[in-house]
Amino acid sequence: MTDLNDLFENNKAWTEAINAEDPTFFKKLSAQQAPEYLWIGCADSRVPANEIVGLLPGELFVHRNVANAVIHTDLNCLSVIQYAVDVLKVKHIIVCGHYGCGGVQAAMQTQSFGIVDYWLRHLKDLYQKHHQALKQIADREQRWDRMCELNVVEQVFNVCHTNIVQSAWGRGQELSIHGWIYSIKDGLLRDLGVTFESTDGISKLYQMTDAS
């Protein structure tokens, strides 16, 4: 097991490297944060948000959980979204999943994994919804990859369905919601082509007329 002291040494080396490049970096960083982006991603250790998009601390507001889920009873995620939208005034919310997501794979199985089963129930519902189309994909890995993509699209809609986002749109705030996916195999991001800047394209059932 890696000695925890190594982490402190790594931290010291990191701060020294940052200070060598910009001696005022931490002073400016401690003054305020003004990111333009909220990243909602998976907790997978192979998907480090800032590094993937080449942004420094302070430039990306981040929320991560198992399988990058946006669940409307999850006050943690909703609080992050509200703070990002209402206080930080981010201009973009990026829901980013990744191929080979273990949470998605678990949701496609009947095996129990413990308490996380309750969290993954929402993904199981999604898998059931698209089961007929997914079973047409013969290759197991490709089927898994497609489910990872469908999960991102679903979570984008879930973000758009919140009164937080719709209220922002209602008052004319600049805010776009995007769905991306990351490949651990090549390190590249892919835009899934699902972007919303207003309630256009969202089912009337989920549009809250008094959200503004």
Side-chain angles (χ1 to χ4, degrees):
M1 187 175 89
T2 302
D3 192 324
L4 291 180
N5 286 330
D6 291 347
L7 302 184
F8 285 99
E9 290 301 320
N10 291 345
N11 170 252
K12 183 178 178 182
W14 175 71
T15 58
E16 289 173 350
I18 292 289
N19 283 323
E21 183 174 337
D22 181 3
T24 66
F25 177 80
F26 289 107
K27 182 178 181 180
K28 291 184 294 186
L29 189 65
S30 63
Q32 65 175 352
Q33 62 168 335
E36 293 191 359
Y37 315 95
L38 166 60
W39 175 283
I40 300 176
C42 184
D44 193 303
S45 62
R46 301 168 296 175
V47 191
N50 284 71
E51 288 86 344
I52 287 173
V53 289
L55 294 178
L56 291 170
E59 296 180 326
L60 188 70
F61 200 56
V62 177
H63 175 77
R64 296 170 67 179
N65 61 49
V66 175
N68 45 272
V70 178
I71 298 171
H72 292 123
T73 54
D74 178 16
L75 296 182
N76 186 355
C77 183
L78 294 179
S79 296
V80 170
I81 294 173
Q82 182 163 32
Y83 188 80
V85 172
D86 293 345
V87 179
L88 298 178
K89 307 294 184 184
V90 297
K91 292 182 172 61
H92 303 274
I93 297 177
I94 300 161
V95 178
C96 187
H98 66 97
Y99 294 121
C101 180
V104 170
Q105 184 183 47
M108 298 170 72
Q109 303 175 21
T110 56
Q111 179 182 347
S112 175
F113 294 92
I115 196 169
V116 74
D117 294 343
Y118 297 102
W119 181 260
L120 296 176
R121 173 60 185 272
H122 300 275
L123 274 71
K124 282 186 176 291
D125 293 341
L126 180 64
Y127 180 55
Q128 182 69 27
K129 176 182 176 181
H130 294 283
H131 182 69
Q132 291 301 316
L134 287 166
K135 75 177 185 179
Q136 303 301 315
I137 304 174
D139 183 83
R140 182 178 299 179
E141 187 169 344
Q142 290 180 7
R143 191 185 315 131
W144 180 11
D145 284 349
R146 179 56 182 155
M147 179 61 187
C148 291
E149 293 174 346
L150 290 170
N151 180 46
V152 170
V153 174
E154 183 77 3
Q155 307 316 320
V156 167
F157 277 106
N158 285 346
V159 172
C160 293
H161 293 164
T162 64
N163 58 10
I164 303 163
V165 168
Q166 292 194 27
S167 292
W169 284 335
R171 60 179 176 263
Q173 185 172 330
E174 181 184 352
L175 180 63
S176 301
I177 319 300
H178 313 270
W180 295 357
I181 196 158
Y182 174 74
S183 174
I184 296 171
K185 292 181 179 179
D186 61 18
L188 294 176
L189 286 167
R190 291 162 175 80
D191 188 341
L192 292 177
V194 52
T195 295
F196 293 92
E197 298 177 343
S198 69
T199 55
D200 293 345
I202 298 173
S203 170
K204 293 289 186 182
L205 180 63
Y206 295 101
Q207 293 185 26
M208 290 164 276
T209 56
D210 60 345
S212 59

